[in-house]
Structure formats: structure tokens, C-alpha cells
Amino acid sequence: MAGQSAKHSGDHGDSTGKAESQLLQDLVDGFEQRFGTRPRIFFAPGRVNLLGAHLDYNGGKVLPVALGRGTYVALARSDRPTSRFASLDLPGEFEMEPREDTAADLLGWASYPVGVWRALGDRCPGPFDFLVAGNLPRGGGLSSSASLSVATAFGLLSLGGHGVDLEEAAQLAWSAETGFVGVQCGIMDQYASAISEEGRVLLLDCHSRTYDLLPFAEDLELVVLDTRKPRNLVTSAFNERVSECKRAFEILQACDPDLAVLAHAGLDQVEEAVGELGPVLGKRARHVVEESARMAKVHEVLEADDHAALGDLVRASHVSCRDLYEVSCDELDFLVDGVCEYDGVHGARLTGAGFGGCVVALVEPGSFSQDEETALLQAYRERFGFEAAVLRLELGNEVREIEV
Ligand code: GLA
């Protein structure tokens, strides 16, 4: 085994600078050279989440949009007894027996596709060869891991000749990440990657698992600002927030046995229990409850196509992530505050888990000019001593098989 990145990261290297046609060509050529057969190619997108920060594992609603970039998985059946996994952008290869249980040996990106393979159980198509490439920025909180798991689930179900139910592909990807990889994430990223549609934003209720795909303002640009801050401790800090919310929920449920999930609690319930919750759990619970209240307004705001109101919700979400949920950092705050100063920027917030990674900003097309971008990036470099990046990404790619 070689080429592993940090534990619990789906980072399999990246082909960020390449055009899609070049990436696909390299993937097919790389597969043929390595494994000697011609593959089928499956794609799943990354996402940004506009609102509903850390609500998915608290049973709340979230508002992700799929990006035009994501993960490409090349797959072909093999007549060898083992399956082989490799990345186009990193050295090394993992070779595995069908039922070998080696989760502990599989740190790094390969634990994601292997986890999905395990979760498929009897529907696994038998031994196969697997090569991955992606064009999302590394470790930026744009769901490269979920898009890897979803592309694998979609690909292996297709290779096995099974009809693919996209919600099922999302569930499989989520079981792999929580059960095999060990990240206690919610279902947002996998659902966003699997069921999003072009030109739509996904309004997903993570408790009932029902959703709407709403038209998304064509006249609004989403700009991603990448702090490029290494996110080494994300998994442990993330899992800590999950367990804090679990404790807060248990305390509130003891007072109200009908309470189904933390996101359904009222602010009055949190305030009444402030003594039992204590300062830290009190802040976490307030974030969840207030963010849910913001989510309750979002349908109306989207229907009215009210960019300023959406921007205000997004900005308030960031403040809450910073002050109550404490998942922001100086670099994220600097980019959020900086970009919001420009005319035509309605709001911005950290997207994904936080602790570094990316900011998403809601921008009127034509605003936040190249000169403004250069000035913000220069101010960032002067303040932190390293470079951030601005990505004007296409939106709205869908999970699919790509004919090559
Ligand atoms: C990460 C997790 C998601 C979600 C977000 C925060 O992306 O994987 O499940 O909890 O953080 O909203």
C-alpha cells in the first residue's frame, strides 16, 4: 500500500487544473495501461451548502447545491480473484480479496470505495478494477469524499447490472462513511451528490428524508473562496460536535419526551434547560435551533427570488457557526468579512464542516470584479502568509455514467 493521505480523508489527489475531456482521456488511458482493459466511467458531483450548517446529523433541514466538479470512477470487471484500487494522481495500489476485513489497514482515500463495496454485500458485482480521478480542490470541504463514495456506489450497482436507485446510492455511501471509515457525518453530502439536479437547489429534510429540488436563481453567482488552510483535526473536532449535540439532545429530551431530534427543539426549551446544558452545550443547541429557524424561512425567500434576504440568512449562519458552534477560524472569518464588503455580494459563510476549507459567497453576476478579487487575495496573503484561492465554479452537475 502506498500513496495514502491523512487518516479519514477521501483525498485521492486531484486533477483540478484539467479540462474534463483531458481528465477523462487520462483516466481511460491510465486504466488501460494499469489494468489492460477498457473501463466504464461514473461521475458524482461535489457540493456547497448554502444554509443549514451542521443540521443534518441533528435532524434538521439543509440547502446544498451540486457543483460542476466532482469525482470520476473508472470501473471494469476483472477475472482475477482480487479487486484492485488505484488513483490516477497518487502512487500505489490496494489489492483486496472479496471478503477480507482490513478496514484498519485502509487509511486514506481507499477506505471510501472499499467501504461502499462492503456495504453492497451480495449485490457486489464480484472482483473488479477501480481507478479514481477528481477535480475538486483537495480537502476543501466541497464533499470530495462523498462524491467518491457516491460515484463508487452508483458505478458498482451499475456494473452489477442492478437498476440504480439514487437515494439508495446515497444511503450506501453514507453507511460506508459512518460504518467503515468512521466519520460520524450526517446524510447531506451523499444526498446532495446523488440526487441533485442541474439548475436546482436541494432542500432536504434530514429527519424525514424527504426533499424538494427547487429552481435556483440563474441570476445569482456562487463564488467559492478556498482558505487553503490545512484541516488536520477536522475529523476529531467534527465528531466532538456530533457528541456534544447528542448530549444536548438527551438533556432536552429528558424534559420533553416527545422531542424527536435536536433541530425540532424551540429556543424557549433551550433557555429553560440552560442550567443543565451548561455554557458549551447551550451554545451548540442555540446554534442548531436558530439555524433551523433560518431554514424555516428559506423556501419563501427562494420562491420570492429575494437575493438580499437569502444573503442575510447566509451571513447570520456564518456568525452563528463562528460564535455559537465554534467551527470557524480566522482565515474563514477574514474571507467572509472581506468578500461581504464589496457591492453586489449578498452574503457569505463557511461551507462544509468548517475549521478551514471554503467559503461560499452569493454574488450578483458582474460584481466582485477581478480587481476586487486580487485585492482580497493580497490582503489575505499579507495577513496569514500563505495564498487563498477564488474559484468561480460551474454549478449543477448530476451523477451519471459518462460514455467514453
Ligand atoms: C460535513 C459533514 C456533513 C455536514 C457538514 C456540516 O460536510 O460531512 O454531514 O454535517 O459537515 O453542515
Side-chain angles (χ1 to χ4, degrees), residues 219-281:
D219 50 344
L220 193 58
E221 200 188 330
L222 296 186
V223 176
V224 171
L225 301 102
D226 185 353
T227 61
R228 291 202 173 149
K229 181 182 170 166
R231 299 194 311 154
N232 299 333
L233 292 172
V234 179
T235 304
S236 55
F238 182 88
N239 286 346
E240 185 181 272
R241 291 295 176 282
V242 175
S243 56
E244 286 167 349
C245 287
K246 193 164 169 269
R247 292 207 317 273
F249 172 64
E250 284 162 2
I251 291 169
L252 295 182
Q253 205 196 28
C255 310
D256 174 7
D258 291 336
L259 186 66
V261 285
L262 184 57
H264 291 180
L267 198 52
D268 52 339
Q269 286 177 287
V270 174
E271 273 159 12
E272 273 162 33
V274 83
E276 290 103 303
L277 288 167
V280 174
L281 300 191

Side-chain angles (χ1 to χ4, degrees), residues 190-319:
Q190 296 76 19
Y191 266 69
S193 183
I195 63 179
S196 288
E197 289 176 10
E198 200 172 333
R200 307 255 153 182
V201 63
L202 174 65
L203 177 55
L204 172 67
D205 183 327
C206 300
H207 180 53
S208 63
R209 306 218 169 171
T210 51
Y211 61 88
D212 280 319
L213 284 158
L214 303 169
F216 189 59
E218 277 175 12
D219 50 344
L220 193 58
E221 200 188 330
L222 296 186
V223 176
V224 171
L225 301 102
D226 185 353
T227 61
R228 291 202 173 149
K229 181 182 170 166
R231 299 194 311 154
N232 299 333
L233 292 172
V234 179
T235 304
S236 55
F238 182 88
N239 286 346
E240 185 181 272
R241 291 295 176 282
V242 175
S243 56
E244 286 167 349
C245 287
K246 193 164 169 269
R247 292 207 317 273
F249 172 64
E250 284 162 2
I251 291 169
L252 295 182
Q253 205 196 28
C255 310
D256 174 7
D258 291 336
L259 186 66
V261 285
L262 184 57
H264 291 180
L267 198 52
D268 52 339
Q269 286 177 287
V270 174
E271 273 159 12
E272 273 162 33
V274 83
E276 290 103 303
L277 288 167
V280 174
L281 300 191
K283 281 197 273 188
R284 307 298 184 250
R286 257 188 66 199
H287 164 79
V288 170
V289 168
E290 291 179 359
E291 186 78 349
S292 295
R294 282 185 280 276
M295 279 304 304
K297 296 184 187 149
V298 86
H299 199 294
E300 206 178 309
V301 164
L302 286 172
E303 267 192 347
D305 205 16
D306 186 340
H307 299 175
L310 185 60
D312 289 346
L313 294 174
V314 164
R315 189 83 178 88
S317 170
H318 183 77
V319 170

Side-chain angles (χ1 to χ4, degrees), residues 47 49 52-57 62 141 143 177 183 185-190 238 349 352-354:
R47 62 93 193 94
N49 186 30
H54 289 268
L55 290 194
D56 56 352
Y57 54 85
V62 293
S143 274
E177 292 190 37
V183 186
C185 61
I187 60 164
M188 172 175 72
D189 301 344
Q190 296 76 19
F238 182 88
R349 62 173 288 263

